[in-house]
C-alpha cells in the first residue's frame, strides 16, 4: 500500500517556540492531505485539509494563525505549531488522499508526538 | 459532518475468540471504511465496503453492511494478541473528502 511518513516522530519544545511537522507521501503524489490531532484516550479530530498549491481549509474552532499549513509540493505538507503552549501537547497525525480511483481512501502517517514544556 | 458511532466502546476477549464491533451512521454513504490504530501509532486501512455490497472478506476480517439499518459490523475471527487496538469507521463529509472519527472500539485480546 501507499506509504506516508512524518517527521519528527516526537518533539519536545519550550513554551513559546514554534514547531514544524512534515508529512510526506513517499510513493504517490497527493494533492490533498489532512492534519488531525489526538489527545490521550480520545479520537482523532480533523484540524484542516491541506491542498497543494492553495490555502488550507480549517475546521471550525481551529486557529489558522496558530496552526500554519503549507502544501508546497505534491508529496509534502507541513504543519507549524506557532508559539506552542502546553495545551498544544498532543499527537498529530497526517494523512494523504490517494489520487484517482473512485474512493476516498486515506493513508495515514505514523504520527508525531508533541510535548510542550 | 457526521461522526462515526462505533459500538461497543471497549471489548475484551481471549485469544482465539472472535471479536465483533459495530458501526452506525446517519446519512447515505458511497462506501464505508474500517481503520485500526495501535496505541500511539498512526492508522492502518483495513477494508472498504461499497454501498452496493453486503459483505466483504479480507483474511480474518469480515465486514457486513446493512444500508437499510445504516450499520456495519467488523468481525475479527480467531483473534490474536496483536489485534489489540482501536478500530474506527470514520464518516465522510458531504464532499467525500474529509473523515470524521468517533471514539472507536478499543479491543483488548488477552493472550
Amino acid at each position: 500500500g501507499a506509504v506516508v511518513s512524518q517527521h519528527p516522530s516526537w518533539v519536545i519544545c519550550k513554551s513559546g517556540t514554534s514547531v514544524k511537522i512534515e508529512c510526506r507521501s513517499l510513493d504517490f503524489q497527493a494533492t490533498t492531505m489532512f492534519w488531525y490531532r489526538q489527545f490521550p484516550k480520545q479520537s482523532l479530530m480533523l484540524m484542516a485539509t491541506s491542498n497543494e498549491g492553495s490555502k488550507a481549509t480549517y475546521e471550525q474552532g481551529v486557529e489558522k494563525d496558530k496552526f500554519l499549513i503549507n502544501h508546497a509540493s505534491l508529496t509534502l505538507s507541513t504543519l507549524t505549531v506557532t508559539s506552542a503552549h502546553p495545551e498544544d501537547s498532543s499527537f498529530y497525525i497526517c494523512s494523504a488522499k490517494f489520487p484517482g480511483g473512485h474512493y476516498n481512501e486515506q493513508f495515514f502517517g505514523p504520527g508525531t508526538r508533541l510535548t510542550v514544556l | 459532518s457526521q461522526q462515526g458511532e462505533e459500538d461497543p466502546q471497549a471489548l475484551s476477549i481471549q485469544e482465539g475468540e472472535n471479536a465483533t464491533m459495530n458501526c452506525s451512521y446517519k446519512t447515505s454513504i458511497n462506501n464505508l471504511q474500517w481503520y485500526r490504530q495501535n496505541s500511539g501509532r498512526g492508522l492502518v486501512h483495513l477494508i472498504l465496503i461499497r454501498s452496493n455490497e453486503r459483505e466483504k472478506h479480507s483474511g480474518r476480517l469480515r465486514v457486513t453492511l446493512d444500508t437499510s439499518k445504516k450499520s456495519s459490523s467488523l468481525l475479527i475471527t480467531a483473534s490474536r494478541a496483536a489485534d489489540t487496538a482501536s478500530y474506527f469507521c470514520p464518516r465522510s463529509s458531504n464532499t467525500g473528502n474529509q473523515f470524521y472519527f468517533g471514539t472507536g472500539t478499543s479491543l483488548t485480546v488477552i493472550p
Side-chain angles (χ1 to χ4, degrees), chain A residues 83-95:
Chain A
S83 186
H85 288 92
E87 58 266 29
D88 298 322
S89 297
S90 188
F91 191 53
Y92 291 87
I93 304 175
C94 73
S95 70

Side-chain angles (χ1 to χ4, degrees), chain A residues 54-103:
Chain A
S54 65
K55 291 182 179 180
T57 305
Y58 290 82
E59 294 295 307
Q60 192 172 9
V62 178
E63 300 176 59
K64 62 180 181 181
D65 295 329
K66 171 77 172 176
F67 300 99
L68 301 179
I69 291 173
N70 187 325
H71 194 155
S73 79
L74 287 172
T75 59
L76 173 64
S77 175
T78 61
L79 168 69
T80 301
V81 183
T82 62
S83 186
H85 288 92
E87 58 266 29
D88 298 322
S89 297
S90 188
F91 191 53
Y92 291 87
I93 304 175
C94 73
S95 70
K97 183 177 176 182
F98 197 78
H102 300 288
Y103 307 118

Side-chain angles (χ1 to χ4, degrees), chain B residues 35-96:
Chain B
Y35 287 82
R36 183 188 75 219
Q37 183 183 32
N38 291 86
S39 181
R41 302 286 186 89
L43 277 74
V44 174
H45 182 266
L46 293 177
I47 196 166
L48 179 153
I49 186 166
R50 291 175 284 188
S51 59
N52 62 351
E53 297 177 310
R54 291 296 168 260
E55 187 171 312
K56 197 165 184 178
H57 296 252
S58 177
R60 293 184 296 113
L61 305 180
R62 190 191 102 181
V63 170
T64 62
L65 179 64
D66 187 334
T67 52
S68 66
K69 295 182 179 179
K70 291 186 168 57
S71 68
S72 173
S73 67
L74 171 67
L75 168 67
I76 304 174
T77 61
S79 64
R80 305 168 182 169
D83 295 328
T84 295
S86 291
Y87 293 80
F88 299 93
C89 61
R91 292 298 168 270
S92 297
S93 62
N94 292 335
T95 61

Side-chain angles (χ1 to χ4, degrees), chain A residues 8-67:
Chain A
S9 55
W10 59 270
V11 57
I12 301 173
C13 69
K14 292 182 178 179
S15 185
T17 60
S18 294
V19 176
K20 180 185 286 187
I21 303 171
E22 294 184 347
C23 177
R24 293 181 186 273
S25 56
L26 297 185
D27 49 2
F28 66 100
Q29 294 183 330
T31 56
T32 306
M33 292 184 174
F34 305 89
W35 287 97
Y36 299 84
R37 180 168 55 182
Q38 185 177 33
F39 292 108
K41 298 192 184 301
Q42 295 188 24
S43 188
L44 281 77
M45 186 194 80
L46 178 65
M47 299 174 68
T49 302
S50 173
N51 303 296
E52 188 271 334
S54 65
K55 291 182 179 180
T57 305
Y58 290 82
E59 294 295 307
Q60 192 172 9
V62 178
E63 300 176 59
K64 62 180 181 181
D65 295 329
K66 171 77 172 176
F67 300 99

